[in-house]
Amino acid sequence: MTRRAAPEASRPAEPPSVPRPRSAEEIARAQKLRLKRTYLGVATHVGGTLIVLSYFAAGLLDLRHLLHYLLGITLVCGAFVGLILSNLNLRFRDPSMTAAQVIVTMWPATYVMYFVTLPQGRTPFMLMGVVGVLFGVFALNFRRMLMVCAVVFLTYTGVVMAIARAAPERVDVRVEAVSACAFAVVMVLITYIGSYMAALRRTVRDRNARLQEANRRLEEAMEELRELATRDHLTRLPNRRSALEHLAQRTSGPPQAPAPGARVCVALLDIDHFKRVNDLYGHHVGDLVLRHASRALQEALHTGEFVGRYGGEEFLLILSATGAASVQAAAQRIRAALAEVRAEGLPETHRLSASLGVTFYSPGESLEATLERTDRALYRAKQGGRDRAVLDEGVSAGGWVALA
C-alpha cells in the first residue's frame, strides 16, 4: 500500500516574515514625500477656492458663507500639514492620511454647495470631488478607493436631498437623478482605474525594494570578495599581494613620510623557530600564535606604518625612519611587542622572538631589488643568532649594521 502524503494542515506553518525596521533616513524621506503630496492637495483646494470666489463675485453666494468656507478649508488643510510636520501622523495606521484628506477636505465645499442658489452651480463641485478622489491613487487599494468614492457620492446625494427638503423649488428631481447616476458611474470608474494604478505603483515599489536589497547583497558580496582578495584569511592582515601593492604606492610619487626627513623603510620579519611551535604544540596553537602576533604587530606600529603577512611566519613591514637609530628603536618596539604574545596552548615560559631584515628604499630602485636587499638582511639576522635586526643602509652606503 502506498503511503498517503501528509495533509497540508499537518505541516508546520512558516513563521511570518517580520518587517525590517525603517531607518530614520527612510522615515524622513517618506515624510518628505507625504508633505509634498499634501501640498499638491492644498494646491487643488486653491483652485476650488477660486471657484467659490467666482460664485461670490457672480452673486451666487453671500459673504458670510464665503468666509465660513475660507475658514474651514484653511483649518482643514493646515491641520493635515501640521500633523505631518510634527510627525504625529506616524502614530496612525495610514501615515499618509490619504482617505481622511480626500473626505475631510471636501466638507467645506459641501457646505458651500448647499447654499449655491442655482442648481447648475453644483456641477463644478462634482468635478472638484472627482479631482480629490484621484489623490487616492497614491496610496489606496481597491476596497479603500471604493469606500472613499462611496462617501463622496453619499455626501453629494445627501446635500441634494437636504436642499430638496429645505427648498424644493431649487431641485429638479429628474436632472438630479441623472446627475447622481452619472456621478456614481464616474466614481466606480475612478475606483477601478485608481486601484489599478495604485497596484502598478505598489508593484514597481516592491520591485525597486527587491532591487535595492539585491544591490545591497551584491555590494556585501563584492566587499567580501575584496576582503578575500586583499586580506589573509588567518591573520586578517593584508596578504602578500596587497602588501606589495601598498609598498608600490608608498615608493611611487612624492614621499609619504609622517615626519620630516623620514624615509621609506622596508622590513621583513620572521618569527624565530616557529616550526617548533607547530611540532611541539600543534598547528592549531601555531595558528593562534600567528593571530596574536599579527594583532601585536598592528598595535606596535605608529601612524603611517604598515604590516602585512608576507607568507608563513614572515611579515612585511613598512616603517618611517631617519637612520639607524630610529630603525633600532622601531625594531626593539616590535620585538618587545612580540615577546608579550600569549596564546592558548602555549606555555607561559615560551617567549616569541623575531629576526628582522631592514633596508631603506632608494629612489629609482626597483621593488624587487629593495626586497632582495631586505631578504639578505633577514638572512644575516638569522645567521647572526636570530632575535635581532640587521640593517642594510642602502645602495649608496652599501654597509650592514647589526641592531641588537
Side-chain angles (χ1 to χ4, degrees):
M1 179 181 295
T2 58
R3 180 178 297 176
R4 297 178 60 187
E8 293 293 331
S10 64
R11 298 177 182 176
E14 295 183 358
S17 58
V18 179
R20 180 176 62 88
R22 305 182 70 184
S23 65
E25 182 180 354
E26 290 174 330
I27 293 176
R29 188 163 55 247
Q31 286 289 84
K32 184 177 180 180
L33 179 59
R34 293 176 185 127
L35 187 61
K36 181 179 179 180
R37 291 174 179 172
T38 301
Y39 283 148
L40 183 59
V42 171
T44 63
H45 294 302
V46 171
T49 301
L50 294 177
I51 295 175
V52 174
L53 289 174
S54 65
Y55 282 163
F56 172 74
L60 302 177
L61 188 69
D62 60 34
L63 179 60
R64 182 183 58 173
H65 298 138
L66 171 64
L67 295 177
H68 290 169
Y69 168 82
L70 294 176
L71 177 62
I73 197 65
T74 301
L75 291 177
V76 170
C77 291
F80 285 113
V81 172
L83 286 172
I84 297 176
L85 290 176
S86 62
N87 290 333
L88 292 176
N89 63 310
L90 297 176
R91 302 181 181 181
F92 304 149
R93 179 177 297 180
D94 177 18
S96 64
M97 305 176 292
T98 305
Q101 290 192 59
V102 172
I103 294 173
V104 176
T105 54
M106 66 174 289
W107 290 346
T110 302
Y111 170 82
V112 171
M113 187 171 62
Y114 178 83
F115 292 102
V116 172
T117 56
L118 290 179
Q120 297 87 342
R122 292 192 290 271
T123 303
F125 293 99
M126 296 172 62
L127 297 177
M128 292 303 298
V130 172
V131 172
V133 170
L134 288 176
F135 277 86
V137 174
F138 290 127
L140 304 181
N141 55 23
F142 178 82
R143 183 180 61 84
R144 297 182 68 193
M145 278 287 293
L146 187 62
M147 182 270 293
V148 169
C149 289
V151 171
V152 173
F153 176 76
L154 292 176
T155 301
Y156 171 78
T157 55
V159 170
V160 173
M161 292 175 63
I163 296 174
R165 183 173 182 179
E169 68 280 1
R170 293 170 52 193
V171 176
D172 188 328
V173 177
R174 293 175 301 174
V175 173
E176 297 295 347
V178 171
S179 298
C181 182
F183 195 34
V185 171
V186 170
M187 290 291 103
V188 172
L189 292 177
I190 288 179
T191 300
Y192 173 75
I193 297 174
S195 61
Y196 179 75
M197 294 175 63
L200 289 179
R201 290 184 65 257
R202 286 192 296 271
T203 300
V204 172
R205 183 182 61 218
D206 293 342
R207 288 180 179 177
N208 288 339
R210 289 195 296 269
L211 181 60
Q212 291 177 356
E213 179 66 17
N215 288 337
R216 184 186 64 81
R217 293 180 179 178
L218 180 60
E219 289 177 358
E220 291 178 352
M222 292 296 294
E223 182 62 30
E224 185 175 352
L225 288 176
R226 282 192 291 269
E227 283 286 314
L228 292 174
T230 60
R231 294 280 174 179
D232 176 65
H233 72 283
L234 178 64
T235 63
R236 306 310 300 166
L237 291 177
N239 58 19
R240 182 186 183 116
R241 176 183 176 183
S242 180
L244 292 177
E245 289 178 352
H246 187 84
L247 178 59
Q249 292 176 0
R250 290 287 297 269
T251 56
S252 63
Q256 302 180 27
R263 300 158 60 191
V264 176
C265 185
V266 183
L268 282 176
L269 180 149
D270 184 272
I271 298 178
D272 294 331
H273 305 296
F274 183 74
K275 186 176 182 299
R276 294 180 186 176
V277 175
N278 285 330
D279 293 342
L280 292 175
Y281 311 112
H283 288 275
H284 174 66
V285 175
D287 290 345
L288 288 177
V289 169
L290 287 176
R291 291 195 187 100
H292 290 300
S294 300
R295 189 177 302 113
L297 289 173
Q298 286 180 304
E299 294 174 353
L301 295 183
H302 289 170
T303 303
E305 297 180 333
F306 172 87
V307 61
R309 190 180 183 188
Y310 199 63
E313 64 272 19
E314 287 189 350
F315 298 85
L316 174 68
L317 296 100
I318 303 176
L319 309 172
S320 294
T322 57
S326 58
V327 171
Q328 182 175 12
Q332 290 176 345
R333 166 170 35 101
I334 291 170
R335 289 163 55 205
L338 286 177
E340 298 297 324
V341 169
R342 300 292 181 270
E344 184 180 354
L346 194 68
E348 285 288 332
T349 57
H350 189 99
R351 294 292 184 271
L352 290 185
S353 64
S355 302
L356 287 90
V358 191
T359 188
F360 288 106
Y361 169 76
S362 297
E365 182 184 23
S366 66
L367 292 183
E368 290 78 7
T370 302
L371 291 171
E372 184 178 351
R373 290 192 295 108
T374 309
D375 191 61
R376 287 201 302 266
L378 175 61
Y379 178 77
R380 284 179 176 266
K382 291 181 179 180
Q383 288 296 104
R386 302 180 188 271
D387 193 18
R388 66 191 61 222
V390 171
L391 169 65
D392 176 358
E393 289 191 307
V395 177
S396 58
W400 302 85
V401 178
L403 307 173

